[in-house]
PDB file of all heavy atoms in Angstrom:
ATOM      1  N   ASP A  17       4.934   3.777   2.327  1.00  0.00           N
ATOM      2  CA  ASP A  17       3.522   3.816   1.800  1.00  0.00           C
ATOM      3  C   ASP A  17       3.465   3.018   0.468  1.00  0.00           C
ATOM      4  O   ASP A  17       4.304   3.146  -0.339  1.00  0.00           O
ATOM      5  CB  ASP A  17       3.198   5.267   1.647  1.00  0.00           C
ATOM      6  CG  ASP A  17       3.109   5.958   3.016  1.00  0.00           C
ATOM      7  OD1 ASP A  17       2.886   5.417   3.988  1.00  0.00           O
ATOM      8  OD2 ASP A  17       3.458   7.194   2.940  1.00  0.00           O
ATOM      9  N   PHE A  18       2.191   2.422   0.322  1.00  0.00           N
ATOM     10  CA  PHE A  18       1.968   2.037  -0.958  1.00  0.00           C
ATOM     11  C   PHE A  18       1.686   3.253  -1.848  1.00  0.00           C
ATOM     12  O   PHE A  18       1.206   4.270  -1.347  1.00  0.00           O
ATOM     13  CB  PHE A  18       0.603   1.217  -1.004  1.00  0.00           C
ATOM     14  CG  PHE A  18       0.648  -0.108  -0.453  1.00  0.00           C
ATOM     15  CD1 PHE A  18      -0.430  -0.934  -0.257  1.00  0.00           C
ATOM     16  CD2 PHE A  18       1.852  -0.673   0.010  1.00  0.00           C
ATOM     17  CE1 PHE A  18      -0.446  -2.226   0.154  1.00  0.00           C
ATOM     18  CE2 PHE A  18       1.925  -2.049   0.401  1.00  0.00           C
ATOM     19  CZ  PHE A  18       0.746  -2.803   0.435  1.00  0.00           C
ATOM     20  N   ARG A  19       2.014   3.187  -3.140  1.00  0.00           N
ATOM     21  CA  ARG A  19       1.765   4.311  -4.086  1.00  0.00           C
ATOM     22  C   ARG A  19       1.090   3.712  -5.288  1.00  0.00           C
ATOM     23  O   ARG A  19       1.554   2.707  -5.857  1.00  0.00           O
ATOM     24  CB  ARG A  19       3.174   4.932  -4.424  1.00  0.00           C
ATOM     25  CG  ARG A  19       3.803   5.526  -3.198  1.00  0.00           C
ATOM     26  CD  ARG A  19       5.035   6.415  -3.579  1.00  0.00           C
ATOM     27  NE  ARG A  19       5.708   6.058  -4.809  1.00  0.00           N
ATOM     28  CZ  ARG A  19       6.933   5.721  -4.959  1.00  0.00           C
ATOM     29  NH1 ARG A  19       7.713   5.649  -3.936  1.00  0.00           N
ATOM     30  NH2 ARG A  19       7.472   5.584  -6.176  1.00  0.00           N
ATOM     31  N   GLU A  20       0.140   4.513  -5.726  1.00  0.00           N
ATOM     32  CA  GLU A  20      -0.629   4.183  -6.941  1.00  0.00           C
ATOM     33  C   GLU A  20       0.245   3.783  -8.125  1.00  0.00           C
ATOM     34  O   GLU A  20      -0.023   2.689  -8.800  1.00  0.00           O
ATOM     35  CB  GLU A  20      -1.621   5.376  -7.323  1.00  0.00           C
ATOM     36  CG  GLU A  20      -2.489   4.901  -8.437  1.00  0.00           C
ATOM     37  CD  GLU A  20      -3.558   6.023  -8.760  1.00  0.00           C
ATOM     38  OE1 GLU A  20      -3.345   7.164  -8.313  1.00  0.00           O
ATOM     39  OE2 GLU A  20      -4.444   5.718  -9.524  1.00  0.00           O
ATOM     40  N   GLU A  21       1.244   4.573  -8.346  1.00  0.00           N
ATOM     41  CA  GLU A  21       2.129   4.298  -9.574  1.00  0.00           C
ATOM     42  C   GLU A  21       2.890   3.061  -9.537  1.00  0.00           C
ATOM     43  O   GLU A  21       3.459   2.523 -10.478  1.00  0.00           O
ATOM     44  CB  GLU A  21       3.029   5.459  -9.958  1.00  0.00           C
ATOM     45  CG  GLU A  21       4.030   5.715  -8.877  1.00  0.00           C
ATOM     46  CD  GLU A  21       3.531   6.796  -7.771  1.00  0.00           C
ATOM     47  OE1 GLU A  21       2.294   6.994  -7.609  1.00  0.00           O
ATOM     48  OE2 GLU A  21       4.314   7.168  -6.951  1.00  0.00           O
ATOM     49  N   GLN A  22       2.987   2.456  -8.373  1.00  0.00           N
ATOM     50  CA  GLN A  22       3.776   1.218  -8.058  1.00  0.00           C
ATOM     51  C   GLN A  22       3.009  -0.008  -8.234  1.00  0.00           C
ATOM     52  O   GLN A  22       3.523  -1.101  -8.342  1.00  0.00           O
ATOM     53  CB  GLN A  22       4.390   1.169  -6.715  1.00  0.00           C
ATOM     54  CG  GLN A  22       5.390   2.368  -6.453  1.00  0.00           C
ATOM     55  CD  GLN A  22       6.635   2.232  -7.366  1.00  0.00           C
ATOM     56  OE1 GLN A  22       6.799   3.061  -8.258  1.00  0.00           O
ATOM     57  NE2 GLN A  22       7.375   1.263  -7.414  1.00  0.00           N
ATOM     58  N   PHE A  23       1.690   0.067  -8.533  1.00  0.00           N
ATOM     59  CA  PHE A  23       0.778  -1.021  -8.638  1.00  0.00           C
ATOM     60  C   PHE A  23       0.981  -1.561 -10.023  1.00  0.00           C
ATOM     61  O   PHE A  23       0.680  -0.835 -11.053  1.00  0.00           O
ATOM     62  CB  PHE A  23      -0.671  -0.794  -8.360  1.00  0.00           C
ATOM     63  CG  PHE A  23      -1.014  -0.829  -6.993  1.00  0.00           C
ATOM     64  CD1 PHE A  23      -0.838   0.372  -6.111  1.00  0.00           C
ATOM     65  CD2 PHE A  23      -1.601  -1.944  -6.398  1.00  0.00           C
ATOM     66  CE1 PHE A  23      -1.172   0.253  -4.760  1.00  0.00           C
ATOM     67  CE2 PHE A  23      -2.019  -1.981  -5.015  1.00  0.00           C
ATOM     68  CZ  PHE A  23      -1.747  -0.818  -4.292  1.00  0.00           C
ATOM     69  N   ALA A  24       1.354  -2.905 -10.231  1.00  0.00           N
ATOM     70  CA  ALA A  24       1.474  -3.406 -11.581  1.00  0.00           C
ATOM     71  C   ALA A  24      -0.037  -3.751 -12.027  1.00  0.00           C
ATOM     72  O   ALA A  24      -0.232  -3.710 -13.306  1.00  0.00           O
ATOM     73  CB  ALA A  24       2.206  -4.722 -11.412  1.00  0.00           C
ATOM     74  N   ASP A  25      -0.922  -4.072 -11.158  1.00  0.00           N
ATOM     75  CA  ASP A  25      -2.294  -4.246 -11.396  1.00  0.00           C
ATOM     76  C   ASP A  25      -3.132  -3.011 -10.957  1.00  0.00           C
ATOM     77  O   ASP A  25      -3.591  -2.893  -9.841  1.00  0.00           O
ATOM     78  CB  ASP A  25      -2.930  -5.517 -10.621  1.00  0.00           C
ATOM     79  CG  ASP A  25      -4.264  -5.830 -10.928  1.00  0.00           C
ATOM     80  OD1 ASP A  25      -5.015  -5.022 -11.526  1.00  0.00           O
ATOM     81  OD2 ASP A  25      -4.641  -6.960 -10.615  1.00  0.00           O
ATOM     82  N   ARG A  26      -3.345  -2.147 -11.891  1.00  0.00           N
ATOM     83  CA  ARG A  26      -4.008  -0.901 -11.615  1.00  0.00           C
ATOM     84  C   ARG A  26      -5.389  -1.131 -11.222  1.00  0.00           C
ATOM     85  O   ARG A  26      -6.037  -0.281 -10.364  1.00  0.00           O
ATOM     86  CB  ARG A  26      -3.933   0.161 -12.840  1.00  0.00           C
ATOM     87  CG  ARG A  26      -2.432   0.546 -13.124  1.00  0.00           C
ATOM     88  CD  ARG A  26      -1.938   1.389 -12.043  1.00  0.00           C
ATOM     89  NE  ARG A  26      -0.509   1.564 -12.318  1.00  0.00           N
ATOM     90  CZ  ARG A  26      -0.016   2.824 -12.615  1.00  0.00           C
ATOM     91  NH1 ARG A  26      -0.819   3.805 -12.746  1.00  0.00           N
ATOM     92  NH2 ARG A  26       1.269   2.880 -12.790  1.00  0.00           N
ATOM     93  N   ALA A  27      -6.052  -2.143 -11.723  1.00  0.00           N
ATOM     94  CA  ALA A  27      -7.438  -2.417 -11.357  1.00  0.00           C
ATOM     95  C   ALA A  27      -7.577  -2.767  -9.849  1.00  0.00           C
ATOM     96  O   ALA A  27      -8.488  -2.396  -9.138  1.00  0.00           O
ATOM     97  CB  ALA A  27      -7.980  -3.565 -12.200  1.00  0.00           C
ATOM     98  N   LEU A  28      -6.589  -3.509  -9.375  1.00  0.00           N
ATOM     99  CA  LEU A  28      -6.500  -3.847  -7.920  1.00  0.00           C
ATOM    100  C   LEU A  28      -6.419  -2.475  -7.090  1.00  0.00           C
ATOM    101  O   LEU A  28      -7.188  -2.327  -6.011  1.00  0.00           O
ATOM    102  CB  LEU A  28      -5.352  -4.809  -7.640  1.00  0.00           C
ATOM    103  CG  LEU A  28      -5.096  -5.077  -6.183  1.00  0.00           C
ATOM    104  CD1 LEU A  28      -6.345  -5.838  -5.638  1.00  0.00           C
ATOM    105  CD2 LEU A  28      -3.796  -5.799  -6.000  1.00  0.00           C
ATOM    106  N   ALA A  29      -5.579  -1.596  -7.469  1.00  0.00           N
ATOM    107  CA  ALA A  29      -5.477  -0.284  -6.758  1.00  0.00           C
ATOM    108  C   ALA A  29      -6.720   0.490  -6.758  1.00  0.00           C
ATOM    109  O   ALA A  29      -7.195   0.881  -5.742  1.00  0.00           O
ATOM    110  CB  ALA A  29      -4.318   0.486  -7.423  1.00  0.00           C
ATOM    111  N   ALA A  30      -7.350   0.494  -7.870  1.00  0.00           N
ATOM    112  CA  ALA A  30      -8.632   1.232  -8.009  1.00  0.00           C
ATOM    113  C   ALA A  30      -9.659   0.491  -7.179  1.00  0.00           C
ATOM    114  O   ALA A  30     -10.587   1.220  -6.459  1.00  0.00           O
ATOM    115  CB  ALA A  30      -9.163   1.224  -9.366  1.00  0.00           C
ATOM    116  N   ALA A  31      -9.744  -0.743  -7.051  1.00  0.00           N
ATOM    117  CA  ALA A  31     -10.834  -1.555  -6.356  1.00  0.00           C
ATOM    118  C   ALA A  31     -10.635  -1.475  -4.784  1.00  0.00           C
ATOM    119  O   ALA A  31     -11.500  -1.324  -4.067  1.00  0.00           O
ATOM    120  CB  ALA A  31     -10.758  -3.062  -6.789  1.00  0.00           C
ATOM    121  N   VAL A  32      -9.300  -1.559  -4.348  1.00  0.00           N
ATOM    122  CA  VAL A  32      -9.032  -1.570  -2.969  1.00  0.00           C
ATOM    123  C   VAL A  32      -8.957  -0.168  -2.392  1.00  0.00           C
ATOM    124  O   VAL A  32      -9.132   0.054  -1.219  1.00  0.00           O
ATOM    125  CB  VAL A  32      -7.751  -2.463  -2.682  1.00  0.00           C
ATOM    126  CG1 VAL A  32      -7.356  -2.356  -1.194  1.00  0.00           C
ATOM    127  CG2 VAL A  32      -7.942  -3.760  -3.155  1.00  0.00           C
ATOM    128  N   TYR A  33      -8.550   0.761  -3.160  1.00  0.00           N
ATOM    129  CA  TYR A  33      -8.183   2.215  -2.724  1.00  0.00           C
ATOM    130  C   TYR A  33      -8.995   3.150  -3.508  1.00  0.00           C
ATOM    131  O   TYR A  33      -8.395   4.085  -4.119  1.00  0.00           O
ATOM    132  CB  TYR A  33      -6.687   2.472  -2.842  1.00  0.00           C
ATOM    133  CG  TYR A  33      -5.891   1.481  -1.912  1.00  0.00           C
ATOM    134  CD1 TYR A  33      -5.251   0.501  -2.542  1.00  0.00           C
ATOM    135  CD2 TYR A  33      -5.793   1.604  -0.601  1.00  0.00           C
ATOM    136  CE1 TYR A  33      -4.395  -0.395  -1.734  1.00  0.00           C
ATOM    137  CE2 TYR A  33      -5.091   0.847   0.255  1.00  0.00           C
ATOM    138  CZ  TYR A  33      -4.293  -0.208  -0.376  1.00  0.00           C
ATOM    139  OH  TYR A  33      -3.631  -1.130   0.509  1.00  0.00           O
ATOM    140  N   PRO A  34     -10.312   3.113  -3.539  1.00  0.00           N
ATOM    141  CA  PRO A  34     -11.035   4.178  -4.301  1.00  0.00           C
ATOM    142  C   PRO A  34     -10.907   5.522  -3.775  1.00  0.00           C
ATOM    143  O   PRO A  34     -10.959   6.565  -4.417  1.00  0.00           O
ATOM    144  CB  PRO A  34     -12.502   3.731  -4.188  1.00  0.00           C
ATOM    145  CG  PRO A  34     -12.517   2.741  -2.952  1.00  0.00           C
ATOM    146  CD  PRO A  34     -11.179   2.170  -2.905  1.00  0.00           C
ATOM    147  N   GLU A  35     -10.542   5.631  -2.450  1.00  0.00           N
ATOM    148  CA  GLU A  35     -10.386   6.981  -1.756  1.00  0.00           C
ATOM    149  C   GLU A  35      -8.903   7.321  -1.877  1.00  0.00           C
ATOM    150  O   GLU A  35      -8.491   8.336  -1.265  1.00  0.00           O
ATOM    151  CB  GLU A  35     -10.826   6.913  -0.313  1.00  0.00           C
ATOM    152  CG  GLU A  35     -12.362   6.522  -0.215  1.00  0.00           C
ATOM    153  CD  GLU A  35     -13.198   7.437  -0.855  1.00  0.00           C
ATOM    154  OE1 GLU A  35     -12.985   8.679  -0.775  1.00  0.00           O
ATOM    155  OE2 GLU A  35     -14.187   7.061  -1.540  1.00  0.00           O
ATOM    156  N   LYS A  36      -8.057   6.448  -2.354  1.00  0.00           N
ATOM    157  CA  LYS A  36      -6.571   6.681  -2.485  1.00  0.00           C
ATOM    158  C   LYS A  36      -5.886   6.767  -1.158  1.00  0.00           C
ATOM    159  O   LYS A  36      -4.890   7.423  -0.926  1.00  0.00           O
ATOM    160  CB  LYS A  36      -6.274   7.871  -3.273  1.00  0.00           C
ATOM    161  CG  LYS A  36      -6.733   7.626  -4.806  1.00  0.00           C
ATOM    162  CD  LYS A  36      -6.183   8.675  -5.745  1.00  0.00           C
ATOM    163  CE  LYS A  36      -6.714   8.558  -7.172  1.00  0.00           C
ATOM    164  NZ  LYS A  36      -6.466   7.322  -7.757  1.00  0.00           N
ATOM    165  N   ASP A  37      -6.447   6.055  -0.099  1.00  0.00           N
ATOM    166  CA  ASP A  37      -5.974   6.145   1.235  1.00  0.00           C
ATOM    167  C   ASP A  37      -5.071   4.768   1.465  1.00  0.00           C
ATOM    168  O   ASP A  37      -5.432   3.875   2.163  1.00  0.00           O
ATOM    169  CB  ASP A  37      -7.135   6.042   2.239  1.00  0.00           C
ATOM    170  CG  ASP A  37      -8.077   4.869   2.163  1.00  0.00           C
ATOM    171  OD1 ASP A  37      -8.171   4.351   0.988  1.00  0.00           O
ATOM    172  OD2 ASP A  37      -8.841   4.560   3.016  1.00  0.00           O
ATOM    173  N   TYR A  38      -4.025   4.880   0.736  1.00  0.00           N
ATOM    174  CA  TYR A  38      -2.984   3.782   0.777  1.00  0.00           C
ATOM    175  C   TYR A  38      -2.460   3.368   2.117  1.00  0.00           C
ATOM    176  O   TYR A  38      -2.125   4.295   2.897  1.00  0.00           O
ATOM    177  CB  TYR A  38      -1.937   4.032  -0.298  1.00  0.00           C
ATOM    178  CG  TYR A  38      -2.414   4.385  -1.628  1.00  0.00           C
ATOM    179  CD1 TYR A  38      -2.499   5.729  -2.220  1.00  0.00           C
ATOM    180  CD2 TYR A  38      -2.923   3.268  -2.564  1.00  0.00           C
ATOM    181  CE1 TYR A  38      -3.020   5.963  -3.356  1.00  0.00           C
ATOM    182  CE2 TYR A  38      -3.361   3.504  -3.656  1.00  0.00           C
ATOM    183  CZ  TYR A  38      -3.455   4.875  -4.159  1.00  0.00           C
ATOM    184  OH  TYR A  38      -4.120   5.215  -5.403  1.00  0.00           O
ATOM    185  N   HIS A  39      -2.303   2.045   2.266  1.00  0.00           N
ATOM    186  CA  HIS A  39      -1.658   1.653   3.505  1.00  0.00           C
ATOM    187  C   HIS A  39      -0.304   1.979   3.662  1.00  0.00           C
ATOM    188  O   HIS A  39       0.404   2.191   2.604  1.00  0.00           O
ATOM    189  CB  HIS A  39      -1.819   0.116   3.638  1.00  0.00           C
ATOM    190  CG  HIS A  39      -3.103  -0.451   3.921  1.00  0.00           C
ATOM    191  ND1 HIS A  39      -4.074  -0.680   3.077  1.00  0.00           N
ATOM    192  CD2 HIS A  39      -3.595  -0.912   5.153  1.00  0.00           C
ATOM    193  CE1 HIS A  39      -5.116  -1.148   3.619  1.00  0.00           C
ATOM    194  NE2 HIS A  39      -4.882  -1.314   4.875  1.00  0.00           N
ATOM    195  N   ARG A  40       0.292   2.195   4.838  1.00  0.00           N
ATOM    196  CA  ARG A  40       1.702   2.090   5.137  1.00  0.00           C
ATOM    197  C   ARG A  40       2.077   0.745   5.546  1.00  0.00           C
ATOM    198  O   ARG A  40       1.426   0.052   6.272  1.00  0.00           O
ATOM    199  CB  ARG A  40       2.007   3.141   6.259  1.00  0.00           C
ATOM    200  CG  ARG A  40       3.546   3.035   6.628  1.00  0.00           C
ATOM    201  CD  ARG A  40       4.005   4.309   7.292  1.00  0.00           C
ATOM    202  NE  ARG A  40       4.132   5.442   6.306  1.00  0.00           N
ATOM    203  CZ  ARG A  40       4.573   6.562   6.620  1.00  0.00           C
ATOM    204  NH1 ARG A  40       4.917   6.956   7.741  1.00  0.00           N
ATOM    205  NH2 ARG A  40       4.623   7.440   5.736  1.00  0.00           N
ATOM    206  N   THR A  41       3.144   0.261   4.973  1.00  0.00           N
ATOM    207  CA  THR A  41       3.843  -0.991   5.289  1.00  0.00           C
ATOM    208  C   THR A  41       4.802  -0.741   6.413  1.00  0.00           C
ATOM    209  O   THR A  41       5.621   0.040   6.386  1.00  0.00           O
ATOM    210  CB  THR A  41       4.584  -1.603   4.073  1.00  0.00           C
ATOM    211  OG1 THR A  41       3.634  -1.710   3.004  1.00  0.00           O
ATOM    212  CG2 THR A  41       5.106  -2.908   4.362  1.00  0.00           C
ATOM    213  N   TYR A  42       4.751  -1.628   7.436  1.00  0.00           N
ATOM    214  CA  TYR A  42       5.780  -1.615   8.430  1.00  0.00           C
ATOM    215  C   TYR A  42       6.257  -2.956   8.496  1.00  0.00           C
ATOM    216  O   TYR A  42       5.640  -4.066   8.583  1.00  0.00           O
ATOM    217  CB  TYR A  42       5.034  -1.388   9.877  1.00  0.00           C
ATOM    218  CG  TYR A  42       4.454  -0.020  10.051  1.00  0.00           C
ATOM    219  CD1 TYR A  42       3.084   0.195   9.759  1.00  0.00           C
ATOM    220  CD2 TYR A  42       5.306   1.061  10.337  1.00  0.00           C
ATOM    221  CE1 TYR A  42       2.574   1.437   9.824  1.00  0.00           C
ATOM    222  CE2 TYR A  42       4.688   2.408  10.531  1.00  0.00           C
ATOM    223  CZ  TYR A  42       3.316   2.501  10.183  1.00  0.00           C
ATOM    224  OH  TYR A  42       2.780   3.759  10.403  1.00  0.00           O
ATOM    225  N   ILE A  43       7.651  -3.019   8.486  1.00  0.00           N
ATOM    226  CA  ILE A  43       8.407  -4.243   8.617  1.00  0.00           C
ATOM    227  C   ILE A  43       9.034  -4.191  10.001  1.00  0.00           C
ATOM    228  O   ILE A  43       9.816  -3.215  10.199  1.00  0.00           O
ATOM    229  CB  ILE A  43       9.452  -4.493   7.534  1.00  0.00           C
ATOM    230  CG1 ILE A  43       8.666  -4.480   6.208  1.00  0.00           C
ATOM    231  CG2 ILE A  43      10.251  -5.716   7.664  1.00  0.00           C
ATOM    232  CD1 ILE A  43       9.612  -4.467   4.904  1.00  0.00           C
ATOM    233  N   GLY A  44       8.886  -5.259  10.795  1.00  0.00           N
ATOM    234  CA  GLY A  44       9.455  -5.305  12.125  1.00  0.00           C
ATOM    235  C   GLY A  44      10.326  -6.649  12.238  1.00  0.00           C
ATOM    236  O   GLY A  44       9.793  -7.690  11.902  1.00  0.00           O
ATOM    237  N   GLU A  45      11.436  -6.515  12.874  1.00  0.00           N
ATOM    238  CA  GLU A  45      12.286  -7.648  13.158  1.00  0.00           C
ATOM    239  C   GLU A  45      11.466  -8.384  14.429  1.00  0.00           C
ATOM    240  O   GLU A  45      11.173  -7.763  15.458  1.00  0.00           O
ATOM    241  CB  GLU A  45      13.557  -7.283  13.650  1.00  0.00           C
ATOM    242  CG  GLU A  45      14.444  -8.433  14.029  1.00  0.00           C
ATOM    243  CD  GLU A  45      15.807  -8.049  14.565  1.00  0.00           C
ATOM    244  OE1 GLU A  45      16.130  -6.828  14.651  1.00  0.00           O
ATOM    245  OE2 GLU A  45      16.568  -9.091  14.932  1.00  0.00           O
ATOM    246  N   ILE A  46      11.246  -9.645  14.230  1.00  0.00           N
ATOM    247  CA  ILE A  46      10.688 -10.413  15.439  1.00  0.00           C
ATOM    248  C   ILE A  46      11.752 -10.579  16.488  1.00  0.00           C
ATOM    249  O   ILE A  46      12.715 -11.394  16.180  1.00  0.00           O
ATOM    250  CB  ILE A  46       9.980 -11.677  14.911  1.00  0.00           C
ATOM    251  CG1 ILE A  46       8.957 -11.472  13.866  1.00  0.00           C
ATOM    252  CG2 ILE A  46       9.400 -12.449  16.256  1.00  0.00           C
ATOM    253  CD1 ILE A  46       8.531 -12.761  13.162  1.00  0.00           C
ATOM    254  N   VAL A  47      11.657  -9.808  17.494  1.00  0.00           N
ATOM    255  CA  VAL A  47      12.752  -9.956  18.603  1.00  0.00           C
ATOM    256  C   VAL A  47      12.337 -10.887  19.756  1.00  0.00           C
ATOM    257  O   VAL A  47      13.279 -11.259  20.501  1.00  0.00           O
ATOM    258  CB  VAL A  47      13.196  -8.573  19.107  1.00  0.00           C
ATOM    259  CG1 VAL A  47      13.800  -7.659  17.932  1.00  0.00           C
ATOM    260  CG2 VAL A  47      11.983  -7.885  19.743  1.00  0.00           C
ATOM    261  N   GLN A  48      11.090 -11.163  19.798  1.00  0.00           N
ATOM    262  CA  GLN A  48      10.620 -11.987  20.930  1.00  0.00           C
ATOM    263  C   GLN A  48       9.320 -12.606  20.558  1.00  0.00           C
ATOM    264  O   GLN A  48       8.484 -12.043  19.905  1.00  0.00           O
ATOM    265  CB  GLN A  48      10.473 -11.112  22.159  1.00  0.00           C
ATOM    266  CG  GLN A  48      10.182 -11.735  23.446  1.00  0.00           C
ATOM    267  CD  GLN A  48      10.138 -10.918  24.676  1.00  0.00           C
ATOM    268  OE1 GLN A  48       9.734  -9.655  24.541  1.00  0.00           O
ATOM    269  NE2 GLN A  48      10.519 -11.269  25.692  1.00  0.00           N
TER     270      GLN A  48
END
């Protein structure tokens, strides 16, 4: 999950996540 304290640009976090509903990042190996 994205976490507020990990944002180097706190203004970006506030602008994109006013509800603090942070995205979950999924990394997938492209197998096909």
Side-chain angles (χ1 to χ4, degrees):
D17 295 329
F18 284 176
R19 297 190 337 237
E20 183 176 14
E21 64 272 13
Q22 296 300 110
F23 277 86
D25 183 343
R26 297 293 172 107
L28 177 64
V32 177
Y33 299 103
E35 305 296 319
K36 301 194 182 301
D37 56 341
Y38 302 103
H39 283 84
R40 174 160 285 182
T41 302
Y42 294 94
I43 300 172
E45 176 185 8
I46 303 169
V47 296
Q48 190 176 33

